[in-house]
Amino acid sequence: MLRHTFQLIPGVGPWREKDLWSKGIRTWDDFPDGGIVISRKADTAARERIAEARAALERKDLKDLARMVPPREHWRLFPEFQDDAVYFDIETDGSKTQVPTVVSLFDAEGLHVYIQGRNMDALPEGLAKRRLWVTFNGSCFDVPVLKEYFGAKNFPVPEAHIDLRFVTRRLGMGGGLKEIEDKLGVGRPPHLKGVNGYDAVLLWRAYLRRGDVEALRYLVEYNLYDSFQLRSLMDLAYNKGADDLNLDVPRLKVFERGDLLYDVSRLLLELGPTERDVDTLARVRAMEQDS
């Protein structure tokens, strides 16, 4: 896909790129070494930028490629860097300060869950391991919330960030994450249907106030789906983008969550009560006896 991308050339947008394709200049290798294609000045810049991009791709330099490719087209980077991607989503406590309560990551190593009061401080290190971030509305909500919570100096910056909210919208797949999942046939199991962000706040409050570990497990499961479903959505969005551009590039095999569900179940079962949770339960029981 990247080798078909000419929007990394200064002055070349979607229309000019399609015009080049229509003239048989389908990849970087097709751009002539001589003659005039766009204009004498533009062609010189084009050849220089193509050479720069080719070298960056050869050394797998995501940062340089992301700098050259317009942000709206960063989805084209995905096939070359999918092994270095992390998909994540956050839940918050619903307060004005939006304190993160549960954050889950999915990457090549599997699932990772960070919980307020347990291991949330380790989240920046977990995110810093991956150069490519994939979220749904993360550029508007998740990342700003986390940056505010941890402090800009302590929070990593990815080399590229694909926000699927905007990618899917441009591809004609409007709506929220769960609505899009249902339309694409990758919806959630019945017990998670209809669960929303406010429910996540209520589940966290139940856990915080009563040490309700079952509420925490339900919240974590809900959040995990918000993360690993992004992998399937990324694959589907990429394939649709390639279809819409009518490009002769390999389509991605869409990620199937089946093999992952065992890990989800195992992780949820491992979420037992902490000492703080036990203290909370003891306090609640004592209050009940006194009343």
Side-chain angles (χ1 to χ4, degrees):
M1 172 65 80
L2 274 177
R3 293 175 177 82
H4 290 263
T5 299
F6 292 103
Q7 290 188 52
L8 48 75
I9 298 169
V12 174
W15 182 87
R16 179 74 72 179
E17 181 179 61
K18 290 178 181 178
D19 185 54
L20 290 171
W21 292 339
S22 71
K23 294 176 179 177
I25 304 173
R26 303 287 290 179
T27 71
W28 298 341
D29 293 339
D30 298 326
F31 201 94
D33 293 331
I36 298 177
V37 179
I38 304 173
S39 71
R40 193 176 301 279
K41 182 178 180 180
D43 287 359
T44 298
R47 293 183 182 107
E48 290 175 353
R49 183 54 67 89
I50 289 172
E52 186 181 354
R54 186 180 283 115
L57 184 55
E58 180 67 24
R59 62 178 184 269
K60 292 288 185 179
D61 192 332
L62 174 58
K63 188 175 183 179
D64 260 10
L65 287 166
R67 173 182 56 82
M68 287 184 269
V69 176
R72 67 176 180 274
E73 304 296 342
H74 278 183
W75 63 274
R76 301 188 188 192
L77 299 165
F78 181 71
E80 300 287 350
F81 296 96
Q82 58 182 304
D83 292 339
D84 207 15
V86 59
Y87 314 82
F88 68 95
D89 183 81
I90 77 171
E91 309 300 337
T92 70
D93 63 356
S95 67
K96 290 183 179 180
T97 54
Q98 296 284 19
V99 175
T101 56
V102 174
V103 181
S104 60
L105 314 182
F106 176 51
D107 61 15
E109 294 180 357
L111 297 169
H112 316 269
V113 175
Y114 301 86
I115 300 172
Q116 186 65 237
R118 295 193 179 204
N119 61 343
M120 187 64 74
D121 290 346
L123 175 62
E125 182 180 353
L127 283 171
K129 292 179 180 179
R130 300 298 172 182
R131 297 187 292 162
L132 176 61
W133 292 2
V134 181
T135 65
F136 191 94
N137 200 38
S139 61
C140 298
F141 182 73
D142 303 62
V143 172
V145 167
L146 293 174
K147 189 176 292 185
E148 177 68 21
Y149 177 76
F150 289 103
K153 292 183 179 179
N154 301 315
F155 195 67
V157 177
E159 295 182 11
H161 179 181
I162 302 173
D163 190 330
L164 287 172
R165 174 190 171 190
F166 302 103
V167 176
T168 54
R169 179 183 294 177
R170 288 184 59 217
L171 293 172
M173 296 185 285
L177 175 59
K178 299 166 190 64
E179 181 182 351
I180 295 172
E181 290 172 355
D182 287 337
K183 289 178 180 177
L184 295 176
V186 290
R188 306 185 182 204
H191 69 287
L192 291 176
K193 293 283 188 183
V195 182
N196 56 41
Y198 183 64
D199 295 322
V201 172
L202 296 180
L203 288 167
W204 176 253
R205 289 176 181 171
Y207 166 65
L208 198 63
R209 294 171 181 173
R210 301 193 300 273
D212 189 337
V213 177
E214 286 305 311
L216 177 64
R217 286 174 175 157
Y218 201 112
L219 172 59
V220 169
E221 183 179 14
Y222 167 75
N223 183 248
L224 282 168
Y225 270 83
D226 277 351
S227 293
F228 66 73
Q229 290 277 85
L230 294 176
R231 175 57 202 267
S232 300
L233 183 57
M234 180 72 247
D235 292 337
L236 289 162
Y238 175 85
N239 289 344
K240 188 174 191 315
D243 289 344
D244 287 357
L245 293 175
N246 195 29
L247 290 178
D248 183 20
V249 296
R251 299 321 191 242
L252 297 176
K253 181 181 179 181
V254 178
F255 172 75
E256 296 182 4
R257 66 195 183 200
D259 293 339
L260 197 65
L261 297 185
Y262 170 79
D263 294 329
V264 172
S265 299
R266 177 180 54 79
L267 196 156
L268 294 177
L269 289 173
E270 290 174 355
L271 286 177
T274 65
E275 184 176 346
R276 180 188 65 81
D277 300 330
V278 173
D279 291 342
T280 300
L281 284 169
R283 187 168 62 254
V284 170
R285 287 166 180 162
M287 291 171 60
E288 181 68 21
Q289 290 175 357
D290 292 340
S291 62

